[in-house]
Amino acid sequence: MSVSVTGAGSGLARGSSFEQPARHKARKLTEITCVIRPTIATSRTAVLWVRHMHARTLVELIAAKRDGAQLAPPDIKRLVSALMAGELADYQMAAWLMAVYFRGLDDEETVALTEAMLHTGRVLDLSTVAGVKVDKHSTGGVGDKVSIALAPLVAACGVPVPMVSGRGLGHTGGTLDKLEAIPGFRTDLSVADFVRVLRDVGCCMIGQTAEIAPADKRMYALRDVTATVECVPLIVASILSKKLAEGIDALVLDVKVGRGAFMKDEHSARRLAGALVRVGTLAGKRVVALLTEMDAPLGVAVGNAVETREALDVLAGGGPPDVIECTLRLGAEMLRLAGVAKDEATALASLKGAISSGQAARKAERMIEAQGGDPRVVSDRSRLAVAREEIVVESPRDGYVAQVDALTIGLAAVAMGAGRTRADQAVDHAVGIFIEKKPGAHVARGEPLARLRVRDASSSRLIAERVTMAFAIADAPPANRPLVLDRVEGRH
């Protein structure tokens, strides 16, 4: 058998190697024609096309990242596309994710991964909605019900808020579960209904649909079972691919740090916040991140209906001081990014005015009604059903509350049924925990530290013991720790 090799400027085969004339060495050889002449086994001349001689295979791309090489954006896009097309097996993507976990991605690679995941689904067109569209995302914590008050509050100040939220998993609660404590409230709106409600009301809060960044769901499932969740570039791409799919113009991030947060220490939280802001900015969006404290639960209530009640308290001019502060600080950043407030003082004044005038509460009523819920819960929060039986957790001694461990409280709430350990589990909207004494408070022996609202008190004693363990009582109050630890802003 004789073989001749032809192509764009290619030389002839010499021995076992391909050789190009010198004048064509700089040219990228992308296609070669191999002519295999007739043999005993082949009666006719066969022409084989060898494409992309210098393009790497999918396995080579996995190996390249394993060895610490930087991948070009088309290579990353190819990996994600191959996964969704069935060309790349789950175990191969898992291998690449593990390589990323150890070798990392730079900002250019992370942007490429974000955009590749984003474009596996639909990017919403919100051009029919007037104004600068701004969303907020929290990395998750215990007692974090801020979004429920924040979306209608910011919308009442003239900024459209399209918000795609998640469900609780593990010790952190989910906004969707809390919203669904409202009778009739629907979080499963179609994209068309989502855009309609946003246009008519100014805010809408739904769950991720199958149309939004489907590659993220696929890849997160692999990360979850291969211990690669805790990887900053993968977290960044996961968050931003979903958020950018909403069609937003700007994004405010609440990066929680502490015992009840995903990021336990400030160094890790700053690293995540910085990466989110940089990559979001490189993707063409205005992005700001706040680092907020999550050693203790946010607010007093932990659960679903109880947290929704507390969020609506803020719109009525009440609520715990830390929930109010977190809501207002994040809201101020959203107004500034939208260009409706020139500075924080002006933004805070607008937000407080929307609460005191009742505009924020009316906006919440309109959103709830538009999404099938009972708007009367805004003014009559007792319509949000809470379990009737109560267990009181008492202080074992006199002193000051030095710590309320958010992680322990969150796990206790899961054990009660307020959360889930698997994505397919249902939650009990009515059970919850009330923190009676926050860090720094003085407490006398026998005084309530917490109250548990449960379905059956007799079967919940072990949970009460767990809640007791979350409280540390000391002879002196702890040092005061600010709620907002830092602010990270993108540079255009």
Side-chain angles (χ1 to χ4, degrees):
M1 180 183 73
S2 63
V3 179
S4 67
V5 182
T6 62
S10 67
L12 297 176
R14 296 185 179 178
S16 60
S17 63
F18 292 143
E19 186 172 284
Q20 288 181 289
R23 68 181 182 275
H24 293 299
K25 283 183 179 178
R27 180 181 298 175
K28 192 171 186 179
L29 182 59
T30 59
E31 192 171 272
I32 298 175
T33 308
C34 297
V35 180
I36 303 177
R37 303 194 186 283
T39 65
I40 295 174
T42 308
S43 60
R44 292 180 297 175
T45 300
V47 179
L48 303 179
W49 295 90
V50 182
R51 296 185 183 276
H52 304 296
M53 195 67 177
H54 291 278
R56 291 177 287 185
T57 67
L58 294 170
V59 174
E60 287 176 316
L61 294 179
I62 295 170
K65 181 48 64 179
R66 178 201 65 194
D67 296 338
Q70 181 188 30
L71 298 183
D75 290 334
I76 292 176
K77 180 180 179 181
R78 186 168 162 232
L79 282 164
V80 175
S81 298
L83 174 70
M84 300 308 289
E87 181 186 353
L88 185 74
D90 282 355
Y91 57 81
Q92 291 177 299
M93 177 54 77
W96 186 77
L97 293 170
M98 185 63 75
V100 171
Y101 181 88
F102 285 110
R103 292 295 192 170
L105 298 174
D106 65 17
D107 286 350
E108 182 182 1
E109 290 175 299
T110 307
V111 170
L113 179 59
T114 300
E115 292 183 343
M117 293 164 64
L118 166 68
H119 291 295
T120 59
R122 179 175 176 181
V123 179
L124 304 189
D125 180 7
L126 300 183
S127 59
T128 60
V129 181
V132 178
K133 277 70 73 174
V134 187
D135 191 12
K136 164 262 182 186
H137 175 80
S138 169
T139 57
V142 179
D144 183 6
K145 70 280 296 177
V146 166
S147 292
I148 299 170
L150 184 65
L153 174 57
V154 171
C157 295
V159 177
V161 182
M163 191 172 285
V164 177
S165 300
R167 299 193 180 280
L169 188 61
H171 71 278
T172 61
T175 298
L176 298 183
D177 299 318
K178 297 163 192 176
L179 286 168
E180 288 174 353
I182 300 172
F185 192 93
R186 290 186 55 206
T187 60
D188 60 345
L189 299 185
S190 67
V191 169
D193 285 338
F194 175 70
V195 175
R196 175 183 55 79
V197 173
L198 179 64
R199 184 176 58 246
D200 296 345
V201 177
C203 57
C204 188
M205 304 175 73
I206 63 168
Q208 184 179 0
T209 71
E211 299 171 282
I212 294 178
D216 171 64
K217 186 174 182 179
R218 181 89 171 269
M219 292 170 69
Y220 189 88
L222 294 175
R223 290 166 57 204
D224 191 37
V225 296
T226 56
T228 53
V229 169
E230 296 176 347
C231 175
V232 167
L234 296 180
I235 295 170
V236 169
S238 177
I239 291 172
L240 293 181
S241 63
K242 294 191 291 285
K243 288 300 175 182
L244 299 183
E246 298 172 353
I248 58 173
D249 302 303
L251 177 64
V252 174
L253 296 153
D254 182 2
V255 179
K256 301 292 187 187
V257 53
R259 283 282 297 163
F262 185 69
M263 294 297 179
K264 307 298 183 187
D265 61 89
E266 286 192 41
H267 174 75
S268 299
R270 290 179 197 280
R271 184 165 165 255
L272 175 59
L276 282 164
V277 169
R278 288 196 312 274
V279 173
T281 301
L282 287 170
K285 307 300 177 183
R286 299 190 63 193
V287 186
V288 169
L290 297 183
L291 270 65
T292 63
E293 194 271 340
M294 185 38 72
D295 277 332
L298 184 66
V300 170
V302 178
N304 293 298
V306 293
E307 288 194 46
T308 301
R309 282 186 176 191
E310 193 166 85
L312 296 176
D313 285 343
V314 173
L315 297 183
D322 55 348
V323 178
I324 296 170
E325 181 183 356
C326 194
T327 303
L328 293 179
R329 291 290 296 273
L330 292 167
E333 297 293 347
M334 294 173 75
L335 296 191
R336 292 172 68 185
L337 288 184
V340 300
K342 62 180 180 180
D343 53 36
E344 185 178 53
T346 305
L348 291 173
S350 296
L351 294 165
K352 292 175 182 178
I355 292 173
S356 61
S357 67
Q359 291 179 358
R362 288 193 291 274
K363 186 69 72 173
E365 289 173 343
R366 289 185 60 200
M367 181 188 74
I368 291 170
E369 185 172 25
Q371 295 190 230
D374 183 355
R376 295 175 295 178
V377 299
V378 177
S379 58
D380 182 6
R381 291 175 288 287
S382 66
R383 290 180 176 274
L384 291 163
V386 176
R388 293 185 177 183
E389 294 198 33
E390 181 175 88
I391 300 175
V392 179
V393 173
E394 299 178 348
S395 176
R397 52 165 288 195
D398 294 349
Y400 293 88
V401 176
Q403 181 185 48
V404 183
D405 188 340
L407 177 59
T408 301
I409 294 293
L411 292 173
V414 172
M416 294 169 65
R420 56 173 65 83
T421 55
R422 299 194 320 269
D424 60 345
Q425 287 178 319
V427 300
D428 187 339
H429 295 108
V431 299
I433 302 170
F434 292 99
I435 308 299
E436 295 290 329
K437 297 292 183 180
K438 300 275 282 183
H442 183 269
V443 62
R445 185 176 183 274
E447 196 173 357
L449 294 173
R451 298 179 187 273
L452 282 62
R453 299 298 289 271
V454 298
R455 297 290 189 181
D456 180 21
S458 62
S459 63
S460 303
R461 296 296 171 185
L462 290 177
I463 298 172
E465 291 178 13
R466 177 179 287 190
V467 172
T468 302
M469 294 171 61
F471 288 83
I473 310 300
D475 294 329
N480 186 39
R481 182 172 166 85
L483 176 69
V484 179
L485 305 173
D486 202 0
R487 179 179 184 272
V488 181
E489 183 177 11
R491 303 295 180 190
H492 289 271

